[in-house]
């Protein structure tokens, strides 16, 4: 296996990992939105209200989770599946945003939720995978012969 083959394998693995984490996170966030709306997380809503009085019901946390996590991760996933040139960049930003989102929530909802820690880890791994994918994509673009040079 040559260096180019190893690079291709690494790039594919990084892309697949990023896409898998985007899918997991989007599905998890949609489930969380549903959980908020049907009342499954009412104790959490009460806790959020105590820490941040602007949270006065189920809808705001559901909309916030959908807007901050589900939609961006879903968009990143669609771009990645369609092999958009900026998909790795969007995956990186979404992973960083997920990590920040979860980290900022910890003081509000407590440090004991395993779900928070799992998704903090998912965000960190997504950042790492998207960074590797991005690096390999940029290297491959830089080494591709330009269309002008290939016509000469």
């Amino acid at each position: 296996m040559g260096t180019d083959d190893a690079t291709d394998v690494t790039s594919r693995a990084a892309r697949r990992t990023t896409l898998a984490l985007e899918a997991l996170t989007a599905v998890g966030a949609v489930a969380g939105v549903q959980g908020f709306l049907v009342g499954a997380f009412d104790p959490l809503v009460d806790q959020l209200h105590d820490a941040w009085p602007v949270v006065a019901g189920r809808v705001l946390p559901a909309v916030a989770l959908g807007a901050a996590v589900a939609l961006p991760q879903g968009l990143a996933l669609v771009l990645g599946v369609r092999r958009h040139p900026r998909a790795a960049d969007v995956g990186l930003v979404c992973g960083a945003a997920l990590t920040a989102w979860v980290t900022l929530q910890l003081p509000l909802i407590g440090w004991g939720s395993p779900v928070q820690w799992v998704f903090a880890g998912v965000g960190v791994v997504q950042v790492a995978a998207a960074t590797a994918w991005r690096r390999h994509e940029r290297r491959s673009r830089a080494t591709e012969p330009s269309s002008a040079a290939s016509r000469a």
Side-chain angles (χ1 to χ4, degrees):
M1 181 185 284
T3 305
D4 288 342
D5 292 337
T7 299
D8 288 345
V9 168
T10 302
S11 179
R12 279 194 305 271
R15 178 180 176 271
R16 288 178 182 156
T17 300
T18 303
L19 294 177
L21 293 174
E22 290 166 353
L24 170 74
T25 304
V27 168
V30 168
V33 167
Q34 180 193 16
F36 275 116
L37 294 176
V38 300
F41 302 137
D42 280 352
L44 177 58
V45 172
D46 293 339
Q47 188 178 356
L48 286 168
H49 177 71
D50 291 343
W52 202 29
V54 73
V55 178
R58 302 172 182 165
V59 175
L60 182 60
V63 169
L65 180 60
V69 180
L71 287 175
Q73 292 284 349
L75 173 65
L77 178 61
V78 168
L79 292 175
V81 168
R82 291 183 172 197
R83 297 184 183 274
H84 189 279
R86 301 299 300 235
D89 297 330
V90 175
L92 173 61
V93 169
C94 286
L98 175 63
T99 304
W101 171 263
V102 173
T103 302
L104 292 172
Q105 285 180 358
L106 288 172
L108 292 174
I109 64 172
W111 302 86
S113 170
V115 172
Q116 296 303 106
W117 290 107
V118 166
F119 278 98
V122 165
V124 169
V125 174
Q126 184 178 342
V127 166
T131 299
W133 177 20
R134 184 174 182 249
R135 182 176 29 245
H136 291 290
E137 289 286 313
R138 289 181 185 229
R139 281 185 190 153
S140 68
R141 281 190 214 124
T143 59
E144 287 177 0
S146 71
S147 58
S150 61
R151 284 185 288 216

